[in-house]
Amino acid sequence: NTLFSGLTMDTDLALLYTEGNDKVKEELNNYYQVNEDTLLNNYDNIYKRYKNAYKRVNYSNSLWINSEDIGISDEAKKIADNKLHFDIKNKKFSNSLNEMNNWITKKSHGKVKGSLTQGDINEANSVYISTLYFNEEWKGKYEKTFIFLKKV
């Protein structure tokens, strides 16, 4: 299933701001009327509040960078770990598929397995993976006849 999450988009914007050049930062400043410190602190506060309020929800992010193509600064790694709360992996994609899929399986508590193929990552410079695990009873349960699973 595909889920578009405001929290995920905020994470993406914060990382883009962190690693972007001056023009990117200026455009983000003009559009969102926020500076880097405010953006990172707001995200950090939202993430911590979210994690503390919902014990049965696990929201995880990772950025996989093909070490054969590009790198990422130590400062960005520090911000990703301390403020954005996600993993940055600098790996050769030619032998990282199993590790990526294992990360997804672990973070989804075994609910999603083998979702990526080598074809998905062959031409990529980077892969951003986000998982959202939700373990709670639904207020209104779905009938099994209305549930369709589709690999995207």
Side-chain angles (χ1 to χ4, degrees):
N1 295 332
T2 302
L3 171 71
F4 293 98
S5 159
L7 188 58
T8 300
M9 288 185 259
D10 286 346
T11 307
D12 296 344
L13 287 172
L15 181 63
L16 180 61
Y17 197 105
T18 301
E19 280 297 288
N21 61 29
D22 290 339
K23 182 167 176 37
V24 169
K25 290 180 182 184
E26 180 183 345
E27 288 178 12
L28 289 172
N29 279 340
N30 290 338
Y31 187 77
Y32 291 103
Q33 301 296 310
V34 67
N35 63 34
E36 182 175 4
D37 289 336
T38 302
L39 180 67
L40 294 174
N41 287 331
N42 286 348
Y43 178 82
D44 185 39
N45 290 333
I46 290 168
Y47 181 86
K48 287 176 181 173
R49 190 171 355 134
Y50 175 80
K51 288 296 265 188
N52 292 332
Y54 304 103
K55 300 296 183 193
R56 294 182 183 195
V57 174
N58 183 9
Y59 172 67
S60 302
N61 295 298
S62 62
L63 177 63
W64 301 73
I65 298 171
N66 192 344
S67 62
E68 296 171 330
D69 295 330
I70 56 176
I72 193 161
S73 70
D74 290 338
E75 180 65 17
K77 288 178 187 176
K78 182 178 172 184
I79 290 170
D81 188 43
N82 297 329
K83 293 287 186 180
L84 300 176
H85 308 282
F86 69 87
D87 302 323
I88 292 185
K89 310 278 187 180
N90 200 357
K91 305 278 184 172
K92 289 184 178 181
F93 282 10
S94 56
N95 57 7
S96 296
L97 179 64
N98 286 337
E99 189 176 353
M100 288 179 184
N101 279 325
N102 289 339
W103 187 94
I104 294 167
T105 300
K106 179 182 176 187
K107 298 300 181 176
S108 69
H109 295 254
K111 299 293 183 188
V112 179
K113 297 176 183 169
S115 58
L116 293 175
T117 67
Q118 194 63 47
D120 294 331
I121 64 173
N122 274 344
E123 301 299 319
N125 292 328
S126 62
V127 175
Y128 180 78
I129 302 171
S130 179
T131 63
L132 177 64
Y133 173 77
F134 177 78
N135 184 17
E136 188 63 68
E137 290 291 322
W138 289 95
K139 185 175 180 179
K141 292 188 178 189
Y142 294 97
E143 293 182 39
K144 289 196 184 269
T145 58
F146 296 112
I147 298 174
F148 302 96
L149 297 177
K150 179 181 174 186
K151 186 175 176 180
V152 291

